[in-house]
Amino acid sequence: MLLSKDEAYALAYKKFSEILFDEYVKRTICHSLTLAELDNLPSHGFSRIPFYYAQAKSGKINVHASIGMNIADNAVMVSADNGFAFPAICRGLEKAEALLKHNAIVLLTISHSHHCGVLGQYVEQMARKGFVGFAFSNTPKAMAPFGGNAALFGTNPLAFGCPYDEDPLVIDMALSKAARGKILTAKQKKESIPDDWAIDSCGNATTDPEKAMEGALLPIAGAKGTALALLVEIMSASLTASSFSYQASSFFEAEGPYPNIGQSFIFIDPCRLNPHFQTSIQTLCAEILKQKNTRIPGMKRFNCRAEKNRNGITISDDLYRKLL
């Protein structure tokens, strides 16, 4: 099914209107999911809606969440109240931006949260306003530590963004060799996966996405990926007093307790430190682009966005029917 951006947004909005009444909550969710589809990141786009919907219906997501906020100096601490992460993060970003008018650096934490979608969207948003940003989120257990044979860490994405050119530089990556959402998409399409993405429940390499979902993902770069996953766990769960990945319930199952994960963000006003910051980034990136077959992180995403804004978003007929 081919949809324009507006048609896709309206489809998601109509579905969420069945379970949500707060306009801000619906808008933030639908904006993030539609943007993921535009950026050709379907594993974090509309494929998530049936899971969000089922968890909201079962009470695993608090649809009556009351976002709480506490500010101490240049730190913003937000509680998502075990509701959707999107509105809690967006409220936090608004306050963080206001504090950056008077501070060179601001910390934002989100506690008692849920899946936050594409983490890079938030640092992109702030980078377009001139700020450098770091973002961290833990997720329910899915990845084995290096040398291990069972899931303990989440895919634990981290993201970085900063002003660059017309579009910002955005680094956004999960710390598993593949995002769990990509394996879910392969399962839905009945496709195989590379044999170095995951292990089955017995600790053996597998190309079967269903067995991978029952087993564990593998970290990028072995021990280095595990170390980064630990860093994200500390920044997301320990810093926010939320659940560790191995304690959090699944994003893909309707029943169970709140996942209760966390996110944290660090934002910097680079012009307070170097008024020529953006020029220095352009100089560095120009050196990269002198070499053939190179690109700046984020550019592929923005090219996809431009193309799909022109030509539309394609979602499977099966998923389309589920969203009607």
Side-chain angles (χ1 to χ4, degrees):
M1 178 63 65
L2 182 65
L3 303 170
S4 70
K5 177 182 71 173
D6 291 342
E7 289 171 336
Y9 181 96
L11 179 67
Y13 185 90
K14 181 175 180 294
K15 189 66 176 178
F16 282 113
S17 293
E18 296 175 12
I19 53 172
L20 296 170
F21 300 99
D22 188 289
E23 287 296 314
Y24 186 81
V25 174
K26 287 188 287 188
R27 288 199 308 269
T28 55
I29 298 170
C30 294
H31 170 76
S32 180
L33 298 183
T34 303
L35 188 56
E37 291 290 341
L38 288 171
D39 290 356
N40 200 32
L41 298 168
S43 63
H44 286 58
F46 283 18
S47 66
R48 294 278 175 163
I49 296 177
F51 300 105
Y52 290 164
Y53 188 92
Q55 290 178 56
K57 291 283 284 186
S58 72
K60 191 172 181 177
I61 298 176
N62 181 7
V63 296
H64 303 294
S66 178
I67 297 171
M69 185 179 297
N70 184 32
I71 300 169
D73 299 322
N74 58 338
V76 182
M77 293 154 283
V78 178
S79 170
D81 193 25
N82 289 303
F84 284 97
F86 306 99
I89 294 173
C90 289
R91 289 294 191 207
L93 292 178
E94 292 168 5
K95 180 53 67 173
E97 183 181 354
L99 288 180
L100 282 163
K101 293 178 181 178
H102 310 288
N103 296 277
I105 184 168
V106 169
L107 170 68
L108 167 64
T109 63
I110 313 292
S111 61
H112 313 306
S113 190
H114 195 270
H115 185 248
C116 66
V118 178
L119 194 60
Q121 289 180 1
Y122 308 110
V123 292
E124 177 196 340
Q125 176 183 328
M126 295 296 278
R128 290 188 183 279
K129 296 177 179 180
F131 304 115
V132 172
F134 297 85
F136 311 88
S137 179
N138 71 331
T139 61
K141 67 178 183 180
M143 186 174 74
F146 179 67
N149 61 5
L152 183 127
F153 292 119
T155 55
N156 287 15
L158 58 85
F160 170 82
C162 73
Y164 163 53
D165 204 343
E166 183 176 345
D167 290 313
L169 183 156
V170 176
I171 298 169
D172 185 2
M173 59 182 181
L175 296 176
S176 57
K177 287 189 176 179
R180 193 171 175 86
K182 287 186 177 180
I183 293 179
L184 177 65
T185 299
K187 178 182 175 182
Q188 292 170 337
K189 293 181 177 180
K190 298 182 179 180
E191 297 174 347
S192 62
I193 60 173
D195 64 5
D196 63 346
W197 279 13
I199 53 177
D200 63 20
S201 58
C202 297
N204 301 313
T206 182
T207 60
D208 184 335
E210 187 165 355
K211 290 182 179 179
M213 294 290 284
E214 295 169 353
L217 304 178
L218 294 173
I220 61 171
K224 293 179 181 179
T226 296
L228 287 172
L230 175 59
L231 180 155
V232 172
E233 200 76 42
I234 293 167
M235 291 296 295
S236 302
S238 296
L239 205 61
T240 67
S242 300
S243 294
F244 291 118
S245 292
Y246 69 86
Q247 299 170 321
S249 62
S250 172
F251 287 154
F252 299 108
E253 296 173 1
E255 303 302 325
Y258 297 129
N260 191 41
I261 61 158
Q263 292 92 25
S264 68
F265 303 83
I266 300 169
F267 296 111
I268 301 167
D269 182 353
C271 291
R272 289 175 178 266
L273 307 174
N274 176 8
H276 306 293
F277 175 82
Q278 187 165 343
T279 300
S280 74
I281 298 299
Q282 291 172 339
T283 300
L284 173 60
C285 290
E287 287 299 309
I288 295 171
L289 294 174
K290 285 179 180 179
Q291 299 186 29
K292 288 184 178 180
N293 303 315
T294 60
R295 59 184 171 88
I296 304 304
M299 296 304 105
K300 182 179 179 181
R301 177 178 301 190
F302 300 137
N303 289 337
C304 286
R305 187 182 302 176
E307 186 274 326
K308 288 183 181 290
N309 266 311
R310 291 191 303 268
N311 300 323
I313 296 165
T314 300
I315 64 173
S316 72
D317 291 342
D318 180 57
L319 178 57
Y320 179 75
R321 287 190 292 269
K322 289 179 181 179
L323 301 183
L324 290 176

